[in-house]
């Protein structure tokens, strides 16, 4: 009889121990995704982060620009994080690129990256385009003269035999509505025979030519560059 009771007691204890073990419930983590406008319009685009379900507290999704083509990342303006409020599933942010920082006639790309707890959650590609500045270009010598420029096959607008007196100022103008200026050297005058970056598109300041003479003057608005060569 004792032997029989011994064999019956073991399964009973095993069942009791199994019944006391708590059941584990695993909660699915929130998954985040990033969506955006396909292109910058007037220098702006909207990006949105969306979670698979609401969170119990505010969630900060870090935002960054990982790569760009024809657009320097430092020219893209955005907040470092999108905050999704507690109980909500999404939040948005506007990112901008000042038009002067886009190369005319070029279509660039900006890759926006979203991460959570230092882990990549998603990324999107946005295009940035600025129309070409092709048109009727002139060299404006002070207020006294406008010299027409002729476009060549490489996109340069050229005026030959432009006569400058000492300390004449000049600027470029397109269709009498847009003006541009050149970068200056340390002396505040153009360095002849060297390419210059175009630095102002509107409200341009005059640039003085140090020596009297005839010059070839060329501007490439899509490359944002110009050159002045004595003839």
């Amino acid at each position: 009889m004792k032997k029989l009771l011994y064999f019956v007691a073991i399964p009973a204890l095993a069942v009791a121990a199994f019944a006391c073990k708590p059941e584990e419930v695993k909660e699915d983590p929130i998954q985040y995704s990033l969506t955006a406008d396909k292109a910058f319009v007037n220098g702006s685009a909207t990006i949105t982060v969306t979670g698979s379900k609401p969170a119990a507290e505010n969630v900060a999704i870090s935002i960054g620009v990982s790569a760009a083509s024809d657009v320097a990342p430092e020219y893209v303006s955005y907040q470092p994080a999108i905050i999704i409020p507690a109980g909500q599933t999404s939040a948005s942010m506007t990112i901008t690129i000042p038009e002067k920082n886009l190369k005319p006639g070029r279509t660039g790309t900006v890759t926006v990256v979203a991460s959570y707890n230092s882990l990549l959650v998603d990324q999107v590609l946005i295009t940035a385009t600025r129309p070409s500045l092709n048109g009727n270009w002139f060299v404006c010598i002070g207020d006294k003269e406008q010299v027409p420029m002729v476009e060549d096959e490489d996109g340069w607008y050229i005026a030959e035999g432009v006569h400058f007196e000492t300390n004449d100022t000049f600027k470029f103008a397109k269709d009498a509505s847009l003006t541009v200026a050149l970068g200056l050297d340390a002396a505040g005058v153009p360095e002849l025979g060297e390419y210059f970056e175009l630095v102002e598109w509107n409200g341009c300041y005059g640039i003085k030519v140090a020596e009297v003479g005839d010059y070839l003057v060329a501007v490439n608005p899509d490359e944002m560059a110009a050159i002045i060569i004595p003839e």
Side-chain angles (χ1 to χ4, degrees):
M1 185 66 179
K2 291 183 178 179
K3 185 175 182 181
L4 178 61
L5 289 175
Y6 174 79
F7 283 106
V8 171
I10 291 177
L13 290 173
V15 171
F18 179 79
C20 293
K21 186 177 180 180
E23 199 173 308
E24 293 183 4
V25 178
K26 293 184 178 180
E27 186 175 350
D28 292 334
I30 301 176
Q31 303 296 322
Y32 294 99
S33 61
L34 178 66
T35 57
D37 296 334
K38 293 183 178 180
F40 286 87
V41 177
N42 297 325
S44 296
T46 299
I47 61 175
T48 301
V49 174
T50 302
S52 56
K53 60 182 178 180
E57 55 187 20
N58 292 352
V59 175
I61 304 295
S62 299
I63 300 297
V65 175
S66 67
S69 170
D70 279 339
V71 180
E74 60 266 26
Y75 293 149
V76 184
S77 177
Y78 58 94
Q79 295 297 317
I82 291 180
I83 307 299
I84 302 178
Q88 303 294 317
T89 57
S90 66
S92 299
M93 171 196 300
T94 298
I95 63 176
T96 59
I97 302 178
E99 188 176 77
K100 67 179 182 179
N101 293 326
L102 296 176
K103 292 184 178 180
R106 299 284 188 85
T107 297
T109 58
V110 175
T111 301
V112 181
V113 177
S115 58
Y116 180 57
N117 288 338
S118 301
L119 296 176
L120 174 69
V121 297
D122 208 353
Q123 61 184 25
V124 292
L125 191 70
I126 311 176
T127 61
T129 303
R130 183 176 181 181
S132 173
L133 291 176
N134 293 343
N136 298 312
W137 282 87
F138 301 87
V139 178
C140 300
I141 305 174
D143 297 324
K144 65 183 181 182
E145 186 178 4
Q146 285 190 342
V147 181
M149 308 185 81
V150 178
E151 185 182 11
D152 68 11
E153 66 274 11
D154 296 321
W156 284 85
Y157 291 82
I158 299 171
E160 298 184 75
V162 180
H163 184 77
F164 293 113
E165 298 292 336
T166 303
N167 291 329
D168 264 347
T169 62
F170 77 96
K171 57 189 177 183
F172 298 108
K174 172 185 173 291
D175 300 329
S177 62
L178 177 71
T179 57
V180 300
L182 299 175
L184 303 178
D185 66 9
V189 297
E191 186 175 343
L192 301 179
E194 298 290 336
Y195 288 99
F196 294 86
E197 180 182 2
L198 300 176
V199 295
E200 291 286 345
W201 291 102
N202 294 287
C204 142
Y205 50 79
I207 297 177
K208 293 182 179 181
V209 175
E211 299 178 3
V212 64
D214 293 335
Y215 296 84
L216 181 149
V217 182
V219 60
N220 188 323
D222 285 350
E223 294 292 338
M224 299 184 72
I227 192 169
I228 308 160
I229 302 174
E231 292 189 334

